[in-house]
Amino acid sequence: MKRRSLIALQLDVIFAIFIREIHRKFSDYKLGTLWAILDPMVMVMVFVILFGFKGRGEFGYVEPPLFILAAFLPFKVMWNQTMKECSNANNIARGLKSFRQIRLFDILVTRAIVVFLTALTVGVVISFGFWWVLGIDPIPYRILETIFYGGTLTIFGFAIGTMVCMVTDIAKEIGKLINITTMPLLFISAVFFPMSAIPEPYRGWLAYNPLVHPMELIRENWFYRYESPVSDPVYWGYWLIGALFMALMTYRIRWRKVMAL
Amino acid sequence: MIRIERLSKSYDIKKGRAIIFKDVNLTIPTGRSIAILGSGGSGKTTLLNLIGGIDFPTIGKIKTELDMSWPISHLRYEKSMSVRQNIRFVARLSGRENFDHIEEEVKTLSLVGDRMSARTQHFTVNELRPLDMAIALALNFDVYLFDGAINFGNQSNKEILRAAFDKKMKTSQVIMAVDNPAQAKEYCDASIVIKGNDAIYFDVFDEGVEEFKISNAVN
């Protein structure tokens, strides 16, 4: 056997876990692994149909379906799904314990990467649908920045999810508690509405919520004519680095304990 | 060579900590097959898992350049994946690239035959256990780990499997954790005896067995 470089080993491990995961999750369905893409796509489409076609023209700068896509895809998939997937990564860790190449960290990283790539694919497919069916031009104004901020949301989801995963062995309730907070977060994270629609002083208060910033930054970079009154990449950056630091620290301290269960 | 340096291993239990190993230093030379001898609950499986890299020291390091198998017959198949996909999974993790060649070899060593594409959930445990060994042999490891006696199953091809294993032993080594030295005699030429919280290496298998018998008689 020839020796692999560390990066080649990591990629092999991630790919192997990815294949195993999509089989575990979807192989019982008729459409099989296609559900890996269909699952988030159907969810985002439901939101687009529920909220995007009510004929609300108040945005002015963007067609409603596109606004909903640019809000729900990052929030529900890139942030929320990454967080959830990472927070229960320890469930499958036990089944992979007998493979020396796999650590819990590989499972966490794999899940984050898979969710992000899935979200990108779903975004492209739905965007294409918008262009084809509705005649909307869905292409982000600054495409790389849009994807970049989507990526930061995934990293944030990975960080929070990892922290949750590392402490759920202390009390299972923590996972439950986190799930309960998802719903209110949806209302205060500038998902249904742009921050420009919120009057002061509430706008200032909501701006303390870190998740508002990537949502607004994505909007700014996706829509040519939208300019956010609050978006602050530096504030978001502090939160991101802080969360990632905390996540890696809790992981380092606790992974053996979590795996030992 | 496997070097165990300042190894300590303890578990959290309800009342405090259970110490399994304390400050163990060992060097296992390459090319010698080793039996880890210890009575039930002494930590022989823990030591095997530590060497195999699927359990982790509380303190200390285990250094090796050798390519190690999983504890044979402990492979966890993903039941929704086919035999072929499960083989590719471990092959990919182990850094093998010639999947076709490996699959062919597994076919000759097992009774999977043309059921390669069937999901593993349709196989019985008695079919999967020897398959484990067949996959490990096809992947060509430096070290084969066994938790308990080496079991070739009771299928019709067990002599083929045994012959292939014996041939592999000319170039590879085994490390097996057993509580009965007789189970290891056939393949092992050195031994590690677990004594209290320490593990002692014996370059001659029988010396280890003597030591094991003495420490067992004391208990």
Side-chain angles (χ1 to χ4, degrees):
Chain A
M1 187 197 76
K2 60 179 204 271
R3 290 221 146 260
R4 284 173 288 182
S5 67
L6 280 178
I7 191 82
L9 172 68
Q10 188 68 62
L11 289 178
D12 280 347
V13 168
I14 286 174
F15 187 65
I17 299 174
F18 164 65
I19 299 284
R20 196 172 167 113
E21 279 247 71
I22 55 170
H23 277 98
R24 191 180 56 82
K25 269 192 201 157
F26 301 115
S27 62
D28 285 341
Y29 295 92
K30 266 276 167 299
L31 293 176
T33 46
L34 199 60
W35 275 108
I37 301 291
L38 284 181
D39 224 11
M41 194 157 99
V42 168
M43 181 181 69
V44 174
M45 281 309 290
V46 166
F47 284 114
V48 168
I49 290 162
L50 276 182
F51 303 115
F53 292 101
K54 292 206 297 198
R56 298 194 310 182
E58 72 260 41
F59 295 129
Y61 48 84
V62 62
E63 290 83 353
L66 194 57
F67 178 88
I68 297 296
L69 174 68
F72 277 87
L73 186 67
F75 192 84
K76 288 296 278 186
V77 184
M78 283 170 171
W79 144 251
N80 210 349
Q81 202 180 330
T82 311
M83 198 270 283
K84 263 192 206 154
E85 296 265 307
C86 287
S87 65
N88 56 33
N90 56 334
N91 292 349
I92 70 152
R94 232 150 295 149
L96 297 171
K97 227 178 156 182
S98 59
F99 303 105
R100 64 201 308 267
Q101 294 88 351
I102 299 177
R103 298 276 165 94
L104 185 51
F105 196 75
D106 300 308
I107 301 168
L108 291 163
V109 171
T110 305
R111 290 194 157 185
I113 290 176
V114 168
V115 174
F116 181 66
L117 293 181
T118 312
L120 282 188
T121 316
V122 169
V124 169
V125 171
I126 297 182
S127 296
F128 185 73
F130 281 174
W131 169 77
W132 196 22
V133 178
L134 304 173
I136 298 172
D137 173 16
I139 296 173
Y141 162 53
R142 294 196 202 91
I143 195 156
L144 285 181
E145 283 89 336
T146 310
I147 294 171
F148 171 77
Y149 284 115
T152 61
L153 259 178
T154 309
I155 294 172
F156 195 65
F158 165 79
I160 303 291
T162 301
M163 265 187 267
V164 175
C165 181
M166 288 303 124
V167 295
T168 37
D169 66 307
I170 299 172
K172 258 204 140 82
E173 284 82 352
I174 295 169
K176 236 188 183 77
L177 213 68
I178 296 289
N179 272 341
I180 295 168
T181 56
T182 350
M183 200 52 181
L185 262 185
L186 191 67
F187 292 106
I188 59 166
S189 302
V191 182
F192 295 100
F193 48 82
M195 284 301 273
S196 59
I198 304 293
E200 285 288 10
Y202 309 106
R203 183 190 285 173
W205 296 348
L206 282 185
Y208 283 112
N209 175 3
L211 284 170
V212 162
H213 297 273
M215 296 307 294
E216 287 288 284
L217 286 161
I218 286 171
R219 229 163 252 152
E220 262 185 342
N221 287 299
W222 199 319
F223 312 138
Y224 177 59
R225 275 181 291 170
Y226 183 68
E227 204 168 303
S228 171
V230 293
S231 70
D232 184 354
V234 177
Y235 180 75
W236 172 234
Y238 283 143
W239 269 91
L240 204 58
I241 291 168
L244 206 50
F245 174 76
M246 289 290 291
L248 296 179
M249 192 179 72
T250 44
Y251 180 85
R252 199 181 154 85
I253 295 171
R254 295 202 51 95
W255 72 271
R256 284 182 184 84
K257 281 235 165 68
V258 175
M259 284 294 274
L261 289 174
Chain B
M1 195 162 71
I2 304 166
R3 291 161 64 101
I4 301 177
E5 294 172 358
R6 299 198 313 103
L7 168 80
S8 292
K9 176 76 186 173
S10 57
Y11 288 110
D12 281 343
I13 52 171
K14 264 188 181 156
K15 289 176 189 161
R17 288 174 91 69
I19 296 170
I20 312 287
F21 294 115
K22 203 168 179 183
D23 210 20
V24 177
N25 289 287
L26 273 183
T27 303
I28 301 172
T30 306
R32 299 195 55 83
S33 287
I34 299 181
I36 301 174
L37 301 170
S39 45
S42 61
K44 57 184 187 308
T45 303
T46 307
L47 185 60
L48 186 83
N49 287 346
L50 285 164
I51 291 171
I54 57 177
D55 200 345
F56 314 101
T58 314
I59 308 170
K61 281 204 169 76
I62 296 173
K63 293 178 184 165
T64 182
E65 296 282 295
L66 294 170
D67 193 15
M68 243 174 273
S69 79
W70 58 91
I72 309 292
S73 88
H74 285 245
L75 186 63
R76 294 262 201 130
Y77 296 93
E78 170 58 49
K79 59 181 175 18
S80 61
M81 295 201 303
S82 67
V83 178
R84 180 179 283 112
Q85 284 167 327
N86 272 295
I87 293 172
R88 288 188 176 205
F89 177 80
V90 278
R92 200 167 267 133
L93 285 181
S94 312
R96 312 301 199 268
E97 279 156 2
N98 47 349
F99 293 151
D100 294 341
H101 180 76
I102 291 167
E103 280 161 25
E104 277 311 307
E105 203 165 336
V106 172
K107 262 187 198 171
T108 61
L109 293 176
S110 67
L111 298 176
V112 173
D114 49 4
R115 291 210 290 160
M116 211 61 167
S117 303
R119 288 187 185 183
T120 43
Q121 68 192 24
H122 301 310
F123 287 74
T124 63
V125 180
N126 288 338
E127 288 171 310
L128 286 178
R129 281 252 175 81
L131 182 61
D132 217 296
M133 169 95 82
I135 296 172
L137 289 175
L139 289 175
N140 201 8
F141 289 108
D142 296 335
V143 183
Y144 288 83
L145 305 178
F146 291 90
D147 186 6
I150 299 177
N151 187 353
F152 294 99
N154 46 15
Q155 287 183 291
S156 56
N157 72 331
K158 86 183 202 199
E159 289 312 317
I160 298 172
L161 201 56
R162 185 192 293 272
F165 183 75
D166 288 349
K167 196 174 157 217
K168 188 73 78 187
M169 280 307 106
K170 295 198 174 92
T171 52
S172 303
Q173 64 185 113
V174 293
I175 299 179
M176 51 197 293
V178 289
D179 49 15
N180 178 4
Q183 294 171 332
K185 218 166 120 190
E186 196 182 343
Y187 291 101
C188 296
D189 35 34
S191 54
I192 292 173
V193 178
I194 296 177
K195 210 177 164 190
N197 291 332
D198 203 2
I200 307 153
Y201 175 75
F202 291 91
D203 209 37
V204 178
F205 178 71
D206 288 331
E207 283 177 19
V209 175
E210 283 304 310
E211 179 66 37
F212 174 66
K213 279 179 182 159
I214 292 166
S215 59
N216 257 17
V218 171
N219 289 339

